[in-house]
Amino acid sequence: MTPDLTKQVLTKTAETVLARRYYLKDSAGELAETWETLCKRVSNAVARVEKKSKQFEALRESYFRMMYHLDFLPNSPCLMNAGTDIGQLSACFVLPIEDSMDGIFTAIRNGALVHKTGGGTGYSFSRLRSRNASVRSTQGVASGPLSFAAVFDAATETIKQGGKRRGANMGVLRIDHPDIMGFISAKEDQNKFTNFNFSVAITDDFMAAVEEEAEYSLIEPSTGKEAGTLNARAVFEKIIDLAWHNGEPGVLFIDAANRDNMTPQLGDFEATNPCGEQWLLPYESCNLGSLNLSNFVKDGEVDYKRMEHVVKVATSFLDNVIDCNRFPIPEIKEMTLKTRKIGMGIMGLHDMLIQLGLPYGSEEGRKQAADIMSFVRAKAEEQSVEIAEEKGAFPAYDAKLNDYPARRNAALTSIQPTGTVSMIADCASGCEPYFSIVMIKNVMDGDRLILVNKHFEQIARKEGFYSDELMVKVADSGTVIGHDEIPEQWQEVFRTAQDIRPEDHIKMQGILQSNGVDSSISKTINLPNSATREEVELSYVMGYKLGCKGLTVYRDGSRDLQVLNTKESAGTEQQTALVSSAGIKKSLPDTLSAKRYRVKDQEQKSVYIIVCFDENEQPMEVFAKFPFDNRVDLKDKSTMWTTTCRLVSLALRFNIPASEIIKQLDRSSGHMLDLPAQLSKLFKSFMAGTQHGFASTCPECAGTLVFEEGCETCHGCGYSKCS
C-alpha cells in the first residue's frame, strides 16, 4: 500500500493536537501511531465494508490518500475510533424525550452511552409538560422541562471525564411552550447548564407575530390546548437581550428546517446536534466530514476536476462509515440505517478566498463560496445516486413521497465545526473567517513569539511589506486594517472575523444555506463589544429572511467571566462586567487536584510552590512550602511567602482576572527569584500568552478560547466546550 507516497509534513500544532487527542497509545501510555499509521487504520476500517469488491484495494488506497494529504478529513469520532474496539464513528445524535419518568430517564441513559463513545446529543424538551401542569398518575404537578434539563446536565458532568471527548448537548424548547420564558433566561447565570447549548425553536407564526407586535398562543404539550398567550415582541426582545448579554440562547428556525425534511413521512425535526448544523429526526445519527478547500487552488484558480474526484471518494467513504459503525443503542442503528444521512462539509473557505484574492465579506467572495458549495453538493449527489444503483437507495426512500432521484443517502451536506480537524489540516475552520492573522505568544522568561498566518506571511514577503515590527503592530491592534504599510487590497482580503460586518457574516451563511447545504450550518455571527441590541435583532431578522435554519450571535467579550480587552480603552460596560464577575467568592470542594513546582529563592534555596486546580483546571489556591520551614531563620520568610500566597488564592477565588494578578505581582517583584516574580512567571505560563483571565483560557493548554462555529474553541490544542 502507498509505495510511492509523498510524505505529508504536518505543522507542529497539528502534531500536538494529534498526540493529545487522536493517536492511539500502547499499554505503557506511549504514542503508538503516526499520521500515516492513523490514516491507514481509518481507511482499512472503513474500506473493509467493500472487502468482497474488486475495487477494495483501490478504494482503500483512495481513502488513505485523501486523508493523509489533508484533502478531506472525517469527524473526530471516526479518526479516534475507527479500527478500535469502540468502533463508534458518528458525531451527531438526536434523542427523543418522552413525557414520562421512564421516557426521561431512558433518554438520560441513552445520552450517557452516546457520550461515552464520543458523540454529541441534541434533545428537544418540548414534549415535556410545563411546570405546575397536572400529573394524573400521581395527582401532583409537573416540575417542568428545566428541572429535568438540570438532571441531563448533571449526568453529562459525571461522565465527561471518562473519554477523549467531553460530552456535549443541545437543549431545544419550542417558542410556544408555556415554560419558554424560563428557558430563555436559564443561562443568564453562566454557572448553570454548563454542558448545554440552549436554542429556542422559533416558528414562522411567531416571527409573523413579532412583526405585527401581536399576541401568540402557548400550547400545553400534554393536552395540545392553549395555556395562555404572550406578546411576541416582548419575548423576542428578551431573546435578543440575553443573546446580547452572553450569546445564549441561540435560535433555530424550525419551520425552515422541516420544509427541507427529506423524509417527512418519518416525522418532524425537533432538535439539532450540539452545534446546530445537523437537523436530525429522533434517534437519527449522522457522520460528518470536511473537504479542505485550501488544497484545491492551483495557479490562482479552483481545481474543480481534482475537487470532483475527492468529493466522490469522500461520499463513498461517509456512506461506508454507516455500515462499519457500531451504534450505541439499537434504536439509533435502526433509524440511521433507514435514512443513511451523511454530512459532507467544508473547511478552509477563507484560505481558498485568500488564495483567489477575494475578500470574505465581498459579493465576489460570497458568489465564489456559493459556487463551490453548489458544486460539492452536486457531485456528492451524483456519487450517492451511483452508489444507490449498485447497493440500493436508503430504505426510507419512497418515489411517491420524495421528489428527488433515488440515492443512497437522505441528506448529503452540512457545514459543521472543524475545530481540531482544521488544525490538523492547517486551515481556517468550517466556513468561518480567520479569527486572527498575527498573534504574539508570551513564553517563559518573558520571550515573545510572533505567530503569523501562513498566507499573510507569504504575501507580505512577496509584496515586500513584511517586517517583524509590522507584525507586532498587527498583533497588538488585533487587525490588519488601518496599517499604511499594508496595501489596501490585502487589508480587505485579510479582514478577520471581527473586522467583517455582521451583515456580511449573515449573508455568507445565507448564501451557503441556499446553495448546496441540505441540513444547516454551524457559524458564529461575531459582533464587536460595542454592538447594540438593535444590531443583534438585525442579525436574527436578516438570518431568518435569508433562509438560515439557525443562528448564533456572539458579542465580543460578552461572557461575564471573559476579559478580552485589558487596555485602558476598554468600554465602561466591559469594566462593569469585570467588576461584577469578581463579586462572588467561589467555594471549593474538599478535594482538589494539585501540581508542585520547585523554584529557587534569592539565596538559591529550594522552595515548593503548590497550585491547586478546580475541575476545569483553573488555579484556585496557591501554597508555598519550604523543605525545612521549622527552622528559626526561615520563620519570617515563610510567613511572608504564606501571606502572599493566601492573598493570591483569595484573588483567584473571587475571579480576579489573571492579568490583574500578574500586574500586581510584577509591581511587587524586586528580584527575579523572589516570590512575586516566581508566581508571575508561573501564572504567565498558565495563560500561555493570552491577555485573558483564567476564565477565558483553555482548561487543557491555557491557550485562548475564541467563540466561533457556535462554541468556545482553543486553536492551540483543539479543546472545545462543545466536544
Side-chain angles (χ1 to χ4, degrees):
M1 186 176 178
T2 65
D4 59 343
L5 184 67
T6 302
K7 182 174 177 56
Q8 178 67 48
V9 179
L10 301 181
T11 65
K12 183 178 179 180
T13 296
E15 287 289 2
T16 299
V17 168
L18 286 162
R20 279 176 177 262
R21 295 178 174 268
Y22 295 96
Y23 288 156
L24 299 182
K25 296 179 174 61
D26 60 23
S27 58
E30 299 296 323
L31 295 178
E33 282 190 314
T34 63
W35 179 234
E36 182 176 348
T37 58
L38 181 150
C39 293
K40 286 180 178 178
R41 167 171 58 81
V42 176
S43 59
N44 288 344
V46 176
R48 194 169 292 124
V49 174
E50 308 281 354
K51 186 70 175 178
K52 297 180 180 180
S53 168
K54 294 179 181 179
Q55 302 300 316
F56 167 67
E57 290 292 347
L59 201 59
R60 181 173 65 169
E61 181 71 11
S62 296
Y63 291 171
F64 170 80
R65 287 183 176 273
M66 74 174 180
M67 288 188 292
Y68 181 74
H69 291 303
L70 309 174
D71 292 331
F72 169 88
L73 292 176
N75 53 221
S76 290
C78 185
L79 289 174
M80 291 172 178
N81 299 335
T84 72
D85 290 339
I86 296 175
Q88 197 289 99
L89 312 183
S90 297
C92 307
F93 299 80
V94 164
L95 298 173
I97 306 175
E98 301 297 337
D99 187 31
S100 67
M101 280 297 177
D102 182 63
I104 291 166
F105 283 94
T106 295
I108 291 173
R109 170 192 174 275
N110 291 341
L113 293 173
V114 169
H115 292 165
K116 181 181 176 182
T117 60
T121 48
Y123 301 101
S124 172
F125 293 94
S126 301
R127 300 187 193 186
L128 300 186
R129 65 192 64 203
S130 62
R131 186 171 180 269
N132 293 328
S134 62
V135 181
R136 188 167 49 190
S137 61
T138 63
Q139 304 300 309
V141 295
S143 56
L146 275 176
S147 66
F148 289 110
V151 180
F152 281 77
D153 188 62
T156 305
E157 186 71 26
T158 301
I159 68 167
K160 74 179 183 184
Q161 297 177 2
K164 296 179 182 178
R165 282 164 59 89
R166 179 175 180 265
N169 304 301
M170 170 67 83
V172 179
L173 196 70
R174 284 181 61 96
I175 193 70
D176 52 13
H177 192 283
D179 289 353
I180 189 61
M181 294 306 290
F183 182 83
I184 291 169
S185 302
K187 294 197 70 175
E188 187 170 10
D189 179 351
Q190 290 170 223
N191 293 316
K192 294 182 177 180
F193 302 105
T194 56
N195 298 298
F196 268 94
N197 290 330
F198 273 7
S199 288
V200 178
I202 288 180
T203 63
D204 292 342
D205 287 345
F206 174 80
M207 292 302 292
V210 170
E211 190 170 345
E212 297 168 6
E213 299 191 4
E215 298 283 309
Y216 77 102
S217 297
L218 302 175
I219 306 299
E220 169 54 47
S222 62
T223 64
K225 297 179 179 178
E226 183 177 301
T229 62
L230 289 173
N231 181 272
R233 182 72 212 174
V235 175
F236 194 50
E237 287 179 355
K238 186 64 175 177
I239 294 172
I240 291 163
D241 184 62
L242 269 296
W244 179 91
H245 173 65
N246 66 10
E248 289 199 75
V251 295
L252 298 173
F253 299 118
I254 194 166
D255 289 339
N258 275 306
R259 278 192 289 274
D260 287 344
N261 182 356
M262 301 293 183
T263 54
Q265 69 274 23
L266 298 182
D268 292 335
F269 291 131
E270 299 177 356
T272 71
N273 70 318
C275 289
E277 80 278 2
Q278 201 66 49
W279 285 92
L280 295 169
L281 299 173
Y283 288 121
E284 272 191 315
S285 69
C286 188
N287 66 94
L288 314 173
S290 298
L291 191 71
N292 180 6
L293 297 181
S294 68
N295 277 11
F296 296 94
V297 178
K298 184 178 181 181
D299 299 326
E301 295 184 353
V302 178
D303 188 345
Y304 281 103
K305 184 176 181 181
R306 199 170 78 83
M307 185 184 291
E308 177 179 356
H309 169 74
V310 174
V311 168
K312 290 189 172 184
V313 172
T315 302
S316 164
F317 177 97
L318 292 174
D319 183 65
N320 279 341
V321 164
I322 298 169
D323 294 313
C324 69
N325 209 343
R326 295 180 186 172
F327 296 97
I329 59 173
E331 293 90 339
I332 292 174
K333 180 177 182 179
E334 179 184 357
M335 193 64 174
T336 301
L337 291 176
K338 276 184 182 179
T339 58
R340 303 187 65 88
K341 289 181 178 176
I342 61 173
M344 172 78 73
I346 58 173
M347 58 183 170
L349 173 62
H350 198 190
D351 299 78
M352 171 176 276
L353 295 177
I354 288 169
Q355 292 173 85
L356 297 173
L358 299 175
Y360 183 97
S362 67
E363 191 64 37
E364 296 84 356
R366 287 190 289 273
K367 184 179 184 304
Q368 180 66 62
D371 289 346
I372 290 293
M373 200 65 227
S374 295
F375 182 85
V376 170
R377 173 62 174 72
K379 298 307 173 184
E381 181 164 69
E382 284 180 17
Q383 183 66 21
S384 186
V385 169
E386 186 177 319
I387 297 172
E389 290 171 355
E390 177 188 351
K391 299 181 179 180
F394 65 91
Y397 178 78
D398 187 332
K400 297 178 182 178
L401 299 173
N402 302 126
D403 59 351
Y404 49 86
R407 59 186 192 227
R408 185 66 168 165
N409 317 97
L412 296 165
T413 54
S414 63
I415 300 180
Q416 56 269 9
T418 60
T420 52
V421 293
S422 62
M423 290 177 204
I424 296 169
D426 191 25
C427 65
S429 55
C431 64
E432 298 279 15
Y434 275 106
F435 199 84
S436 60
I437 295 298
V438 184
M439 294 183 292
I440 298 292
K441 183 173 182 179
N442 295 315
V443 294
M444 292 294 287
D445 300 321
D447 291 337
R448 305 179 83 200
L449 182 64
I450 302 175
L451 305 175
V452 185
N453 176 278
K454 61 182 180 182
H455 303 296
F456 185 65
E457 180 172 3
Q458 181 183 30
I459 289 170
R461 292 189 184 278
K462 181 180 178 181
E463 299 287 327
F465 63 84
Y466 183 92
S467 71
D468 287 347
E469 293 78 11
L470 176 60
M471 298 304 109
V472 171
K473 286 170 62 177
V474 171
D476 287 343
S477 66
T479 178
V480 300
I481 305 300
H483 297 283
D484 293 339
E485 303 94 322
I486 304 174
E488 187 173 339
Q489 171 196 358
W490 298 117
Q491 289 189 35
E492 292 302 313
V493 168
F494 284 99
R495 281 183 180 269
T496 56
Q498 295 179 65
D499 295 324
I500 295 166
R501 298 184 309 165
E503 52 264 45
D504 287 330
H505 278 285
I506 298 165
K507 287 178 181 178
M508 179 62 85
Q509 182 172 340
I511 202 167
L512 288 169
Q513 182 71 74
S514 59
N515 286 272
V517 177
D518 289 340
S519 189
S520 192
I521 299 170
S522 180
K523 176 167 172 38
T524 297
I525 309 304
N526 280 286
L527 303 176
N529 182 263
S530 59
T532 63
R533 289 167 174 81
E534 288 73 23
E535 288 173 300
V536 175
E537 178 180 352
L538 173 66
S539 300
Y540 282 157
V541 172
M542 188 175 181
Y544 173 72
K545 290 182 177 179
L546 286 175
C548 296
K549 297 177 184 176
L551 215 62
T552 299
V553 173
Y554 180 68
R555 184 173 61 88
D556 183 30
S558 63
R559 294 289 166 102
D560 284 347
L561 299 181
Q562 185 183 39
V563 184
L564 288 178
N565 185 346
T566 59
K567 297 181 179 180
E568 293 180 2
S569 61
T572 303
E573 288 183 359
Q574 191 167 356
Q575 294 170 8
T576 302
L578 183 149
V579 173
S580 65
S581 71
I584 302 174
K585 182 180 178 182
K586 184 173 181 178
S587 59
L588 299 177
D590 294 337
T591 303
L592 287 174
S593 62
K595 291 183 180 179
R596 189 206 72 177
Y597 303 85
R598 186 173 68 176
V599 300
K600 298 288 187 180
D601 69 3
Q602 290 165 294
E603 298 173 4
Q604 294 298 310
K605 289 186 170 64
S606 292
V607 182
Y608 298 102
I609 297 178
I610 300 164
V611 184
C612 298
F613 299 86
D614 68 7
E615 68 278 4
N616 294 316
E617 298 186 28
Q618 303 299 317
M620 282 290 108
E621 287 189 308
V622 181
F623 301 91
K625 177 74 174 174
F626 287 79
F628 305 102
D629 58 6
N630 58 339
R631 282 171 34 189
V632 174
D633 61 321
L634 289 178
K635 184 175 181 181
D636 289 342
K637 183 183 291 186
S638 178
T639 299
M640 179 194 71
W641 282 54
T642 299
T643 301
T644 303
C645 287
R646 284 178 176 173
L647 288 171
V648 170
S649 298
L650 195 63
L652 291 170
R653 291 180 65 184
F654 271 97
N655 290 317
I656 300 298
S659 56
E660 293 298 316
I661 297 174
I662 290 170
K663 187 189 300 182
Q664 298 306 317
L665 291 171
D666 285 343
R667 286 176 178 173
S668 303
S669 175
H671 189 284
M672 65 179 294
L673 295 177
D674 65 15
L675 175 63
Q678 298 281 9
L679 288 176
S680 176
K681 184 190 296 185
L682 196 59
F683 285 2
K684 286 173 183 174
S685 75
F686 293 152
M687 292 176 72
T690 75
Q691 290 186 333
H692 300 226
F694 288 133
S696 311
T697 60
C698 173
E700 295 193 1
C701 76
T704 307
L705 289 182
V706 298
F707 199 91
E708 61 183 7
E709 298 180 316
C711 196
E712 285 186 297
T713 304
C714 175
H715 283 190
C717 70
Y719 167 83
S720 170
K721 286 192 174 181
C722 298
S723 65

